[in-house]
Amino acid sequence: MDLKQLGREITVTSYKEGEFILSSGRSSTYIFDKYAFETRPKLLDAIAEGMGKMLNSDVSRIAGMELGGVPLATALSLKTGLPFVIVRKGKKGYGIDRAIEGDMTSDDKVVIVEDIATTGAQALLAAEAVEQAGAKVSSILYVVDREEGAREGIESKGYRFEALFTKSGLGVG
């Protein structure tokens, strides 16, 4: 599936209008339902294909923030053969109580994959966790950028930001 077709499929499948509260706390008259595209194998595979082309050559590991980033990290890992880790939003408080699940070393260059960019706050939390664990964040990749400040916030922290699609590029919002 080419990117233009993928963008149409993501829009048809996941773009909804109404009254919504985003994870950033902002209210919005539209939303991209990430689970609508993350739970469809053909769309998820096409997204992973597109994201794979966006990877820097030095990337050695993929990171996905629970919950929405995990299907993306898994699909991208399967597509590229790169191992991945899951970044928890907080330690779970039982068992092996850690913020990052999976193996990662201080030599790793990590790409963080996320679904929808609004402010970039969740990705920055993931980047902080990865760096606290000793690895280096290479870049942060999104499926859709809502164009509401995530790029600026992420780039101001020194990270490369890239998205498969933007809200304006999809002609919505």
Side-chain angles (χ1 to χ4, degrees):
M1 175 178 323
D2 67 23
L3 275 181
K4 190 171 184 175
Q5 181 182 0
L6 177 58
R8 282 192 303 270
E9 290 292 324
I10 287 173
T11 302
V12 167
T13 304
S14 70
Y15 178 78
K16 311 286 185 226
E17 293 183 342
E19 295 298 321
F20 304 97
I21 302 296
L22 307 175
S23 65
S24 65
R26 295 179 182 179
S27 61
S28 178
T29 57
Y30 74 94
I31 197 166
F32 288 94
D33 179 359
K34 61 189 172 193
Y35 299 117
F37 60 76
E38 289 183 346
T39 57
R40 288 179 166 78
K42 288 183 182 176
L43 288 180
L44 188 56
D45 183 65
I47 289 166
E49 180 76 28
M51 284 187 147
K53 294 175 182 172
M54 296 162 51
L55 294 180
N56 287 342
S57 61
D58 66 344
V59 169
S60 59
R61 195 157 314 264
I62 301 160
M65 183 84 142
E66 68 171 333
L67 181 66
V70 174
L72 296 170
T74 304
L76 188 55
S77 176
L78 290 169
K79 186 66 72 179
T80 63
L82 293 171
F84 75 99
V85 296
I86 299 168
V87 181
R88 292 187 169 280
K89 291 182 180 175
K91 291 184 177 184
K92 58 186 180 179
Y94 59 89
I96 300 174
D97 195 22
R98 56 185 164 214
I100 296 180
E101 300 291 349
D103 296 326
M104 189 172 61
T105 71
S106 60
D107 293 329
D108 279 322
K109 300 279 193 290
V110 179
V111 62
I112 296 171
V113 293
E114 273 281 26
D115 38 51
I116 311 299
T118 303
T119 66
Q122 293 298 313
L124 289 173
L125 288 174
E128 182 179 331
V130 165
E131 291 183 342
Q132 283 180 351
K136 171 104 173 81
V137 174
S138 171
S139 57
I140 300 173
L141 309 181
Y142 283 93
V143 178
V144 178
D145 179 8
R146 290 175 55 98
E147 300 173 298
E148 294 183 22
R151 173 182 294 279
E152 294 79 8
I154 287 168
E155 289 178 346
S156 75
K157 300 291 185 187
Y159 301 114
R160 183 174 74 89
F161 174 101
E162 200 166 348
L164 278 174
F165 304 101
T166 60
K167 171 189 76 167
S168 58
L170 293 173
V172 296

